[in-house]
Amino acid sequence: MAGDDGRAQVRLDDDTLARRRRDLGEDHPDTLASGSNLAVSLRAAGEYQAARELDDDTLARRRRVLGEDHPDTLASADGLAISLRAVGGYPGALAAASNLAAIVRHRGEYQAARELGEDTLARRRRVLGEDHPDTLASANGLAISLRAVGEHQAARELGEDTLARRRRVLGEDHPDTLASADNLAVSLQGVRGQAARELGEDTLARRRRVLGEDHPDTLTSADNLVMILGRVGEHRAARELAEDTLARRRRVLGEDHPDTLTSAFILAAALFELGEYQAAKELNEDILARRRRVLGEDHPDTGASATFAIFLRTPRPLLKTLGWVSRRRRAG
């Protein structure tokens, strides 16, 4: 659910949780199921911190009520790992965040997600087997967490294994298979750019066909492909896709949703690569104002926009050189 529908879903799930807490008690399995559902809706609406707090509480209760290895407990563990990554912001923003305390804190979120993901995957492999769809969901999430903490080789290896298993178990076009393909494409971009591009283009085409042009997952694939295209030097194609993606995000999610602001930031970077510095500056200034209001001053994504704003005030003759140095540093 997105936009107004997403907020309506949050209100509905919040009301259901309140009623179940009143009628069944805090720890009843149905109450905990409602808590888990509300956390999913909160994440979809961009309310990541609220989702993280609710996931944390639900996991603790499910561990106590249902046990460490119960499928619902492990589902809550996966949900909490997703929320931890969401609270941490877009991983690429960490290097640019100007607030050291924010960098340390949010790296801690990624590390917590990684540790929780490793434990959950080990339990699901033991309880459900290597190829169970829930096991593969945990593996996919762990691959993302590994990439976020800088363990790129491990992330690629786990991503390749998970994609191969999902293709065999679920089929080429299953939404979960496409999620693994999208994640692997991102992991490949720093070492095998052309392979990343081919996989990213294929995944976007499949998601458009399976999920539709405006589905949030389709738009995530588009954002990722923009970055991959930039890495292989296809800057005009990257800019065109970024503009289309941002327009769709704004229509589907609204101007201030964190995912919309991520798409806008990716477009600002694409504009910079084409030498359209004024357009990049104006767009980034708008993003920065919105991120300060929506995410707060200390969020890494806000820090990334603040640092980019300083960068864009650098005298123009130096910008391309500095941009090259920045890209080389990221690639290393």
Side-chain angles (χ1 to χ4, degrees), residues 297-318:
E297 287 283 350
D298 288 341
H299 194 280
D301 290 353
T302 307
S305 290
T307 301
F308 195 33
I310 295 170
F311 185 68
L312 288 170
R313 289 197 292 270
T314 303
R316 288 191 179 187
L318 298 177

Side-chain angles (χ1 to χ4, degrees), residues 26-38:
E26 295 274 351
D27 289 342
H28 191 283
D30 291 349
T31 305
L32 299 177
S34 292
S36 183
N37 290 338
L38 175 56

Side-chain angles (χ1 to χ4, degrees), residues 74-216:
L74 298 177
S76 283
D78 266 348
L80 177 56
I82 294 170
S83 291
L84 287 166
R85 290 193 298 270
V87 167
Y90 177 65
L94 283 176
S98 57
N99 185 321
L100 180 59
I103 295 173
V104 172
R105 181 168 67 255
H106 290 283
R107 277 182 177 159
E109 304 285 4
Y110 292 130
Q111 186 58 37
R114 178 259 185 96
E115 292 170 2
L116 182 58
E118 287 176 332
D119 179 75
T120 305
L121 177 58
R123 291 176 185 276
R124 277 186 155 164
R125 281 173 168 166
R126 174 167 49 79
V127 173
L128 300 174
E130 293 275 351
D131 287 342
H132 191 282
D134 291 347
T135 304
L136 298 177
S138 293
N140 187 65
L142 177 57
I144 298 171
S145 295
L146 288 168
R147 189 172 72 242
V149 298
E151 297 192 23
H152 300 294
Q153 182 62 32
R156 284 193 296 271
E157 291 173 359
L158 182 57
E160 287 171 340
D161 179 74
T162 305
L163 177 57
R165 291 176 186 274
R166 277 181 156 171
R167 281 173 168 166
R168 174 166 45 80
V169 173
L170 301 174
E172 293 276 350
D173 286 343
H174 191 281
D176 292 349
T177 304
L178 297 177
S180 284
D182 202 44
N183 292 332
L184 180 58
V186 174
S187 292
L188 290 173
Q189 66 177 321
V191 291
R192 291 162 52 195
Q194 191 56 39
R197 176 188 181 168
E198 292 171 2
L199 183 57
E201 289 175 335
D202 180 74
T203 304
L204 178 57
R206 290 175 186 272
R207 275 183 156 168
R208 283 173 169 167
R209 175 166 48 80
V210 172
L211 301 174
E213 295 273 351
D214 290 341
H215 190 281

Side-chain angles (χ1 to χ4, degrees), residues 189 225-235 238 273 327:
Q189 66 177 321
L225 181 56
V226 169
M227 292 184 291
I228 292 168
L229 288 169
R231 291 294 289 266
V232 298
E234 297 284 348
H235 298 301
E273 292 290 352
R327 289 194 300 277

